[in-house]
Amino acid sequence: MRAPSYSEALEFAIDRSYDINIDMLRSRNLHLDTFNDYLVGTYPPLKAMGDFNPEKLLDRIAPSIDLYFHIPFCHQNCTFCHFGKQINPPRGRIERYLAALEKEMSWSEAALAGRTIETAFIGGGTPSFLTNDQLKTLFGMIKQRFDLSKSEVSFELHPALGKQVDAVDRVSALLRGGVNRFVLGVQTLDRSILRILNRGHGVDEVMQTVKLLNDMGVGNLSLDLMYGLPQQTLRSWYDSLIGLIVMGIEKFNVFPLMFKSTDLVARHLASGRYQFAGAKERIIMHFMAEHILTSLGYRHGPIFYWTKRSQPHSVQQARKYDSWNDNNLVPFGVSGFGYMSECQFYNEVDLDRYLDKVEAGEKPVWKGAVLSRDDLMRRTVIFALRSSGVLLSRFEQEFGVSLEGYFARELKILNEAGLICISNDGLLSLTASGIVNSGAVSLRFFSDSVLEQVAYNDSRIKDKRTDPLEKHDYSPAARYGSSAEMKAVFQ
């Protein structure tokens, strides 16, 4: 199969973009502008959570679970990153953190015994920041408690790994530790944009790392790409995607750049320091990627995730979006968020508070919420719509009510706007316009009580550029409003 040329991809994308009536969607509050758009990471979101007794997390743990381990260390601050991290900490700080991570694991050890570990994800921060010996320590403590022999084990790599003298040793340590899936945060192959983003790597390092992984027999590699980046043109977006396809990459995570007031890139947007794609251009970039990837045999799984293989993009993503509350995500480490025993919660996001709590023998939970039946239904729809959709018959069997009846108002609004459809076999899913506006679709399923709680906690934030609640809330609720309001907040 031949990749579409730039002109072919652009023409297709422009034609498709005319199907998205932005003005109509804006008039109905169904389009989130660039500075307001955000994907839902948790439901309820952090700003709707409160004080929480962590013992509730052990009440009804599901028989199969997913693990997440957060490694909060990096060599540099990327301008778009708002995840918990510390830049170039001293070795003693890292050793102390690993010891705390092990101690935190012991808190739930008895409750998790006998559970099937479907997936484990080591993220950050930058987990590949760890030395070879530290990686061995990390996997030693994990495997002492959890059987990962039949699990999908994912590990995030920084592209600069390829230029390290001990790169082979580190990858070997990861493979021996059980890692069978790697995620590489490339974002773009445009050298000037990489410098603006302060990524700490260039194009040569990407090629080195991909070649290293291929040479070492790594067969499951996924690359992150972003569109809507500062100074990114339609041509540079096309060139980045084609360049990685030429490298033989078969799995992609393709996301729009999302802004938070706590990130430097938000101030770049508000000040006009760099040129950013507008709403229409972002839509065109989305459809360019869709046309290129679809033409070459890639398929969605879930939306924003693409794979050329017959199996899912990843077990981890499939379980995250399609679990229907029958799995638990168990996080370990600072700023990790999880879902256990029908509770959504966050660990402490401040590293010192996390360390102090764990070393004092406490579970380092910061905020949480026990989900009601209504919350569970909304959470199910929000996440399943981002993946394989919601089968109406399964929803009724699961919750004892008709989805079309329970969410009649929401479905009517979204259907009339062309954002959702229901197939003949009763599958509720997003349309092409719905995928582009998935943040706004998700927001329609937030309950009034959750939105009220979010608005109340948001109103109490004094400085949106530094507040941890603002930094770690992954949702489009209580965002900033008009362009003038956005500039005031972001600047």
Side-chain angles (χ1 to χ4, degrees):
M1 291 179 281
R2 180 185 68 85
S5 67
Y6 171 68
S7 59
E8 289 170 340
L10 181 60
E11 182 180 5
F12 173 89
I14 291 174
D15 285 346
R16 290 297 305 275
S17 72
Y18 289 129
D19 296 334
I20 314 296
N21 189 336
I22 296 178
D23 290 336
M24 178 272 289
L25 294 172
R26 281 177 178 151
S27 70
R28 303 182 186 187
N29 292 320
L30 292 172
H31 173 80
L32 301 175
D33 284 328
T34 300
F35 49 87
N36 286 328
D37 199 8
Y38 210 91
L39 299 176
V40 176
T42 68
Y43 189 84
L46 176 58
K47 288 180 184 176
M49 297 182 196
D51 294 336
F52 182 79
N53 178 6
E55 294 298 326
K56 292 181 179 294
L57 301 176
L58 306 181
D59 287 349
R60 287 173 286 134
I61 299 176
S64 66
I65 60 177
D66 302 290
L67 307 177
Y68 175 75
F69 301 90
H70 190 75
I71 308 300
F73 307 119
C74 293
H75 289 290
Q76 72 288 316
N77 264 315
C78 300
T79 63
F80 60 84
C81 179
H82 41 259
F83 298 114
K85 58 189 175 295
Q86 183 174 354
I87 306 303
N88 294 318
R91 182 181 179 89
R93 181 79 157 175
I94 300 172
E95 304 298 340
R96 184 184 173 194
Y97 182 78
L98 291 176
L101 205 59
E102 183 170 28
K103 191 167 185 179
E104 185 192 355
M105 285 187 233
S106 66
W107 179 82
S108 55
E109 188 171 8
L112 298 180
R115 263 64 181 185
T116 300
I117 312 299
E118 297 288 349
T119 71
F121 193 102
I122 298 91
T126 306
S128 55
F129 180 94
L130 300 180
T131 65
N132 195 22
D133 287 342
Q134 290 164 347
L135 289 171
K136 291 177 182 177
T137 297
L138 173 65
F139 280 95
M141 67 175 69
I142 293 174
K143 295 176 80 170
Q144 184 179 356
R145 289 174 170 81
F146 303 109
D147 178 10
L148 303 181
S149 60
K150 298 180 181 179
S151 310
E152 178 189 82
V153 182
S154 304
F155 193 94
E156 287 185 335
L157 293 174
H158 192 278
L161 175 69
K163 69 180 180 182
Q164 303 297 322
V165 294
D166 64 344
V168 172
D169 291 337
R170 288 203 217 180
V171 175
S172 295
L174 294 172
L175 294 172
R176 287 194 299 271
V179 175
N180 48 36
R181 174 176 175 253
F182 290 89
V183 181
L184 196 62
V186 173
Q187 315 313 346
T188 179
L189 291 184
D190 187 308
R191 290 174 171 83
S192 62
I193 297 176
L194 287 171
R195 287 192 292 272
I196 293 171
L197 298 176
N198 197 38
R199 281 294 294 151
H201 73 81
V203 176
D204 291 343
E205 286 89 345
V206 174
M207 297 174 68
Q208 280 180 284
T209 303
V210 170
K211 183 178 185 304
L212 170 69
L213 295 173
N214 287 336
D215 290 347
M216 297 186 69
V218 171
N220 194 351
L221 172 63
S222 179
L223 266 61
D224 293 342
L225 275 179
M226 283 188 185
Y227 58 87
L229 295 171
Q231 301 297 108
Q232 188 177 50
T233 64
L234 296 171
R235 180 76 212 202
S236 68
W237 171 238
Y238 173 87
D239 289 344
S240 288
L241 188 52
I242 292 297
L244 293 169
I245 290 170
V246 170
M247 288 185 205
I249 304 304
E250 295 190 340
K251 293 185 178 182
F252 289 99
N253 310 334
V254 180
F255 284 92
L257 173 62
M258 293 174 282
F259 296 92
K260 273 185 171 291
S261 54
T262 53
D263 304 337
L264 181 58
V265 74
R267 296 193 280 285
H268 290 164
L269 173 68
S271 67
R273 180 174 179 181
Y274 299 110
Q275 184 69 38
F276 287 85
K280 188 73 170 180
E281 275 187 296
R282 284 163 67 100
I283 291 171
I284 291 171
M285 288 177 175
H286 166 84
F287 282 124
M288 285 177 73
E290 179 183 275
H291 183 54
I292 293 165
L293 293 169
T294 302
S295 298
L296 294 174
Y298 293 80
R299 58 185 177 80
H300 271 311
I303 65 170
F304 301 118
Y305 295 85
W306 292 88
T307 180
K308 202 174 185 179
R309 303 188 178 188
S310 57
Q311 68 267 37
H313 175 278
S314 68
V315 178
Q316 178 242 350
Q317 292 298 329
R319 284 175 60 79
K320 177 178 180 179
Y321 295 112
D322 291 324
S323 68
W324 288 63
N325 309 308
D326 54 3
N327 76 303
N328 284 180
L329 173 61
V330 184
F332 297 104
V334 63
S335 73
F337 60 83
Y339 176 78
M340 298 170 64
S341 301
E342 298 183 353
C343 301
Q344 188 80 64
F345 68 100
Y346 271 76
N347 275 357
E348 289 285 354
V349 297
D350 178 83
L351 185 51
D352 287 314
R353 285 178 58 84
Y354 168 83
L355 291 170
D356 289 344
K357 268 195 173 182
V358 175
E359 290 167 352
E362 302 175 41
K363 172 65 176 170
V365 169
W366 178 38
K367 303 281 186 182
V370 180
L371 274 66
S372 67
R373 178 170 169 273
D374 177 74
D375 291 329
L376 292 171
M377 288 191 283
R378 294 176 185 277
R379 180 182 187 272
T380 295
V381 173
I382 288 169
F383 286 129
L385 275 176
R386 292 254 298 277
S387 187
S388 57
V390 188
L391 192 62
L392 301 183
S393 59
R394 183 180 176 186
F395 185 92
E396 186 164 359
Q397 182 179 6
E398 183 92 3
F399 296 108
V401 297
S402 160
L403 186 149
E404 293 174 287
Y406 196 84
F407 292 116
R409 179 174 60 92
E410 292 87 347
L411 296 182
K412 183 175 186 293
I413 292 170
L414 295 171
N415 184 57
E416 288 177 350
L419 300 178
I420 60 168
C421 61
I422 298 177
S423 67
N424 291 335
D425 53 357
L427 182 70
L428 171 68
S429 59
L430 298 176
T431 62
S433 182
I435 290 174
V436 172
N437 294 283
S438 59
V441 173
S442 295
L443 198 53
R444 280 287 160 178
F445 289 98
F446 279 43
S447 71
D448 290 341
S449 61
V450 163
L451 290 173
E452 288 168 5
Q453 189 65 42
V454 168
Y456 171 73
N457 284 323
D458 185 76
S459 70
R460 301 177 69 192
I461 296 175
K462 296 180 180 179
D463 185 353
K464 285 185 178 289
R465 285 178 54 173
T466 61
D467 189 88
L469 203 65
E470 175 71 18
K471 184 180 182 71
H472 295 276
D473 183 81
Y474 308 125
S475 96
R479 296 287 280 187
Y480 312 114
S482 69
S483 296
E485 291 171 312
M486 173 275 294
K487 288 182 179 179
V489 170
F490 282 8
Q491 288 179 336

